């Protein structure tokens, strides 16, 4: 059982919807990739931060939509 803030659970739900994965599947992914001995809740928070940071960078680098008529 992992203790996270409600906002973190909401973020996991949202990421799961974007990635078509369950929250449990995301947590398993984080667990598999975290360093040995690292706290799972902390690793999940970092995962969420990285996910949204990378999403923001991708959005900034995306070409602007053309407005041709």
């Amino acid at each position: 059982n992992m203790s996270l803030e409600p906002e973190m659970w909401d973020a996991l739900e949202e990421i799961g919807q974007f990635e078509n994965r369950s929250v449990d599947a995301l947590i398993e992914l984080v667990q598999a990739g975290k360093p040995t001995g690292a706290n799972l809740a902390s690793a999940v928070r970092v995962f969420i931060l990285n996910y949204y940071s990378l999403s923001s960078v991708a959005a900034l680098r995306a070409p602007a939509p053309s407005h041709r008529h």
Side-chain angles (χ1 to χ4, degrees):
N1 210 0
M2 181 176 51
S3 178
L4 287 173
E5 299 77 13
E7 295 84 358
M8 294 293 122
W9 288 113
D10 291 346
L12 280 174
E13 288 279 343
E14 185 175 69
I15 293 168
Q17 289 174 1
F18 290 146
E19 299 298 327
N20 200 29
R21 294 180 184 235
S22 69
V23 169
D24 287 342
L26 292 174
I27 292 171
E28 288 174 14
L29 181 73
V30 173
Q31 175 111 31
K34 76 176 182 61
T36 303
N39 179 282
L40 181 57
S42 295
V44 167
R45 288 183 188 97
V46 170
F47 168 80
I48 292 167
L49 176 65
N50 287 340
Y51 184 90
Y52 285 116
S53 293
L54 291 172
S55 296
S56 295
V57 168
L60 289 173
R61 291 185 178 167
S66 68
H67 291 80
R68 295 182 185 176
H69 296 289

